[in-house]
Amino acid sequence: MLYIVATPIGNLKDITLRALEVLKQVDLIACEDTRHTKILLDHYGIQAPTTSFFQHNRITKAEHLLKLLKDGKSVALVSDAGMPGILDPGYNIINSAIKNNIPISVLPGPTALVNALVLSGKPAHKFIFEGFLPNRTQARRNRLKELAKLKYTLIFYESCHRILAALEDIQAVFGDKEIAVARELTKKFEEVKRGSAKAILESLKDQKPRGEFVIIL
Ligand code: SAM
């Protein structure tokens, strides 16, 4: 069995009893970053062996993991934060397992987009999760213009390095529309700002933005 196990997006207490049980039992835990996952495993006294499974070794590592699974071993896949497969390398192994008729079980848990969407107060019955916007301003604005035609709540992931640039482009395309920016969800400095992109930009410019962000509009 390949277990896809959601892990906390900040607060170590946000893990299910079943996830802990599975992480204790499996033959191997495939982690995006073994050092990062070790913090969680140590916190709960879990000693299962770990191996790395990240963006640059995902193809060769997926083959190795697949072989273990075919030999009857159980493997748990975790990412650095949240649900594996949601914008992290999980997709490759999940897809290969399906093609190879290996049973998969997904253990539910945190994912930043859901927390941010609910916290934003925006309509959550129809939404589009866009992940990261393009790096470059022109490509970002073009994509935002395409998305602006749709009548859905939009969700973007953003890093502290690009949040200001992304908000400037959102302001250029969406004007005064009220948006929400959630930061450091479930962590000590969790915060949500609601207002126009311009107003949020102003409030963020006072100090260098820190942490991880989700934008909802
Ligand atoms: N697999 C993860 C999930 O289920 O949400 C997403 C991984 S993606 C590589 C990382 C991005 O998720 C960050 O840049 C940020 O936009 C968002 N993110 C993750 N944890 C967050 C948190 N605690 N607060 C705000 N955003 C977060």
Side-chain angles (χ1 to χ4, degrees):
M1 176 75 87
L2 172 64
Y3 295 96
I4 314 299
V5 182
T7 56
I9 56 170
N11 189 324
L12 288 184
K13 289 184 187 156
D14 291 334
I15 184 137
T16 68
L17 298 175
R18 188 152 76 100
L20 293 176
E21 211 172 82
V22 164
L23 292 175
K24 273 184 194 150
Q25 283 169 4
V26 286
D27 296 304
L28 186 64
I29 304 175
C31 320
E32 201 176 349
D33 181 338
T34 51
R35 290 161 306 177
H36 187 92
T37 300
K38 193 172 179 313
I39 300 169
L40 177 75
L41 300 181
D42 285 352
H43 186 81
Y44 289 104
I46 297 171
Q47 282 160 0
T50 58
T51 189
S52 64
F53 179 76
F54 54 89
Q55 194 61 19
H56 298 294
N57 74 357
R58 68 188 195 284
I59 294 171
T60 47
K61 214 38 174 297
E63 282 168 22
H64 171 67
L65 295 177
L66 225 51
K67 187 172 176 315
L68 292 177
L69 288 160
K70 282 182 184 163
D71 289 346
K73 302 278 186 224
S74 56
V75 176
L77 177 72
V78 300
S79 61
D80 280 353
M83 180 58 83
I86 302 294
L87 272 193
D88 58 41
Y91 169 79
N92 289 77
I93 179 73
I94 296 167
N95 197 259
S96 308
I98 292 168
K99 285 189 182 142
N100 283 275
N101 293 321
I102 289 162
I104 298 181
S105 183
V106 178
L107 276 67
T111 186
L113 71 108
V114 172
N115 267 56
L117 174 62
V118 174
L119 196 57
S120 74
K122 299 285 175 203
H125 56 286
K126 277 187 180 186
F127 60 86
I128 291 180
F129 172 55
E130 178 71 4
F132 291 100
L133 281 162
N135 278 331
R136 292 177 186 278
T137 302
Q138 198 52 55
R140 196 162 48 224
R141 287 195 184 193
N142 289 344
R143 184 65 190 140
L144 286 168
K145 280 179 197 158
E146 284 169 26
L147 292 168
K149 296 175 197 153
L150 307 173
K151 301 270 179 265
Y152 290 85
T153 297
L154 303 173
I155 308 172
F156 305 99
Y157 279 173
E158 202 45 272
S159 73
C160 54
H161 310 293
R162 286 199 327 219
I163 185 73
L164 299 179
L167 288 173
E168 273 164 21
D169 293 339
I170 288 171
Q171 187 197 339
V173 176
F174 289 86
D176 285 341
K177 197 176 270 292
E178 181 170 308
I179 69 164
V181 174
R183 188 178 83 91
E184 296 290 82
L185 291 160
T186 77
K187 300 184 193 175
K188 191 173 171 193
F189 296 108
E190 173 175 295
E191 162 175 58
V192 59
K193 291 178 186 286
R194 303 180 184 87
S196 67
K198 190 176 179 195
I200 296 175
L201 257 176
E202 283 305 314
S203 71
L204 285 174
K205 269 180 175 164
D206 292 344
Q207 54 201 37
K208 201 168 172 241
R210 286 175 143 192
E212 301 185 280
F213 292 83
V214 184
I215 304 172
I216 314 282
L217 64 85

